[in-house]
Amino acid sequence: MTANYKLVYHGNKANLPAVRDAGSFYLTDDTRELYFGDKKYGEGVRLYTSAEGKPATPAEGVIYVNTDTGVGEVYNGSAWVVVIKGYATAIGENADDSTVPTSKAVKDYTDAKVAEVAGIVDGLGALAKKDEVSETELEATLKAKINGKAEQTDLDAANGKLTTLIGADAGKSARTIANEELAAQLIPESAKESLNTLAEIAAWIQSHPDDASAMNQAITALRNLVGTLPEGAVSDTVVAYIKEYTDGAIAALNIGDYAKAADLTAAIGRIAALEKDTHTHANKALLDTYDQTNEDLKDAVAKKHSHANKTELDKIVEGDKAKWDAAAAKAHEHANKTELDKIAEGDKANLDAVVAALTVGTF
């Protein structure tokens, strides 16, 4: 803090101190700028780079300019609004109205287009040098250019190929071709000829009734061997039902309610040991050292008491009382007693109010 500290200073910008108090305001009379310590407030334009990015908490009404792209934006409290378009150093096919091209970008683009037009004019040859061109001359020149690209016979041949199916598909409808493609995807090439279609499969079954009957008999025989699930079974397979029935039967036995033979044997051994053991104490040696009478114990119990501040009392050591007596005997003194005696009732409240008014708050 500087000497003769003040909360607010003012003067011309040229006299603004280079080193300023962090808690003071500085107002420039000629430029009307505001500083709080070394921080400046109220700039109309603030700069940033693409690497830095726009501030996370921008001020409203201030233009933020990207020094890399030239874009200027203003934050309106909820969104950024572009007020200065960025510049473009080249004009490409995807150019739009979001940027403004530089003068060099415009020159480069114009030169390229002029060169392109010049090439087209040169392609017309001698016809481009005439002041007047007849319709016949123009027609002949354009025809020559077109013939150089493709002959009419080639175009006619290509047109015929595009409108007529050739090869194995000649004469077929689009539906027929689609069905053939679908069948080829569903049935592999290695499949037997007799399984090419579902219709042929059905025909095979009808023409082999004995084979179908044999399959039905085999299925019935298998069902008789395995059996069927009884009514009320939860499982849906024979194997699962066998497990279901076995688990239920084991649970009905309540095996968990019976003690194991080994546990019973161990318990009997412990009971026998307890019956043989005489009355003993783990601390018998300590008990044998007691020689107090019953009256002594009663007296000790009667004198028993406690202190709530036992922890603090345990800190008192020899000599503490003498120190306390010396402190009590010493008079209460202040080096500035004369000034303190001048303080009247209410002065402290007034002083607190002044300090609160001069304290810089935060938000």
Side-chain angles (χ1 to χ4, degrees):
M1 182 178 295
T2 59
N4 300 321
Y5 169 81
K6 295 185 182 302
L7 180 62
V8 179
Y9 297 87
H10 74 96
N12 290 334
K13 179 68 175 289
N15 300 324
L16 181 67
V19 178
R20 299 183 286 275
D21 290 324
S24 296
F25 291 93
Y26 295 81
L27 307 176
T28 58
D29 297 334
D30 50 351
T31 60
R32 297 184 182 278
E33 295 174 292
L34 171 64
Y35 293 84
F36 182 67
D38 61 350
K39 298 180 178 63
K40 181 181 178 182
Y41 291 80
E43 308 103 313
V45 178
R46 299 180 186 177
L47 307 178
Y48 69 95
T49 64
S50 297
E52 296 171 344
K54 288 180 288 192
T57 55
E60 297 182 31
V62 176
I63 300 177
Y64 290 84
V65 178
N66 187 323
T67 56
D68 296 326
T69 63
V71 175
E73 298 177 85
V74 175
Y75 188 71
N76 63 9
S78 59
W80 289 94
V81 179
V82 177
V83 294
I84 302 175
K85 296 181 179 180
Y87 56 83
T89 57
I91 301 176
E93 296 180 355
N94 298 324
D96 53 28
D97 295 332
S98 63
T99 56
V100 178
T102 61
S103 57
K104 185 178 184 306
V106 174
K107 180 180 180 301
D108 293 343
Y109 180 79
T110 304
D111 291 344
K113 289 300 180 182
V114 170
E116 183 179 337
V117 173
I120 296 175
V121 172
D122 291 341
L124 296 176
L127 190 65
K129 300 179 181 179
K130 290 188 176 184
D131 295 334
E132 294 183 3
V133 179
S134 66
E135 183 178 346
T136 303
E137 290 174 327
L138 180 60
E139 181 180 356
T141 302
L142 294 177
K143 183 177 181 180
K145 292 291 183 182
I146 294 174
N147 288 341
K149 301 297 181 181
E151 296 294 338
Q152 185 62 40
T153 55
D154 295 333
L155 296 176
D156 293 341
N159 184 52
K161 292 180 179 179
L162 294 175
T163 58
T164 303
L165 295 173
I166 61 176
D169 293 330
K172 296 181 181 179
S173 66
R175 184 185 299 276
T176 300
I177 296 174
N179 288 337
E180 292 177 352
E181 290 295 328
L182 179 60
Q185 295 178 21
L186 295 177
I187 301 177
E189 295 181 358
S190 59
K192 294 182 178 181
E193 186 65 24
S194 60
L195 302 178
N196 272 350
T197 65
L198 295 176
E200 292 175 350
I201 294 174
W204 183 89
I205 293 175
Q206 293 177 359
S207 61
H208 296 77
D210 295 337
D211 294 337
S213 177
M215 284 189 291
N216 288 334
Q217 292 176 2
I219 293 172
T220 301
L222 178 61
R223 182 179 297 170
N224 291 334
L225 290 174
V226 176
T228 58
L229 298 176
E231 183 178 355
V234 177
S235 305
D236 53 4
T237 65
V238 175
V239 174
Y241 174 72
I242 293 173
K243 182 178 183 304
E244 174 190 341
Y245 181 82
T246 303
D247 291 345
I250 293 174
L253 294 175
N254 294 323
I255 295 176
D257 295 340
Y258 298 95
K260 296 180 180 179
D263 295 337
L264 291 174
T265 301
I268 293 172
R270 289 194 296 270
I271 294 171
L274 291 173
E275 290 175 345
K276 295 178 181 180
D277 194 9
T278 60
H279 185 71
T280 60
H281 292 279
N283 60 342
K284 181 178 183 299
L286 177 62
L287 293 175
D288 292 342
T289 63
Y290 290 169
D291 56 1
Q292 291 87 356
T293 64
N294 188 45
E295 295 300 324
D296 294 335
L297 295 176
K298 289 181 179 181
D299 182 64
V301 171
K303 293 179 180 179
K304 180 181 179 182
H305 68 281
S306 62
H307 293 278
N309 61 340
K310 180 180 182 299
T311 302
E312 295 299 323
L313 292 176
D314 291 342
K315 298 177 182 178
I316 298 175
V317 297
E318 186 71 25
D320 284 348
K321 182 178 182 303
K323 296 177 184 177
W324 297 335
D325 292 341
K330 187 176 181 180
H332 187 69
E333 300 174 354
H334 287 284
N336 61 340
K337 180 177 182 301
T338 303
E339 296 299 324
L340 292 175
D341 291 341
K342 296 178 183 179
I343 298 176
E345 185 71 22
D347 285 350
K348 182 180 183 302
N350 295 333
L351 181 60
D352 291 342
V354 173
V355 173
L358 293 178
T359 301
V360 178
T362 59
F363 58 89

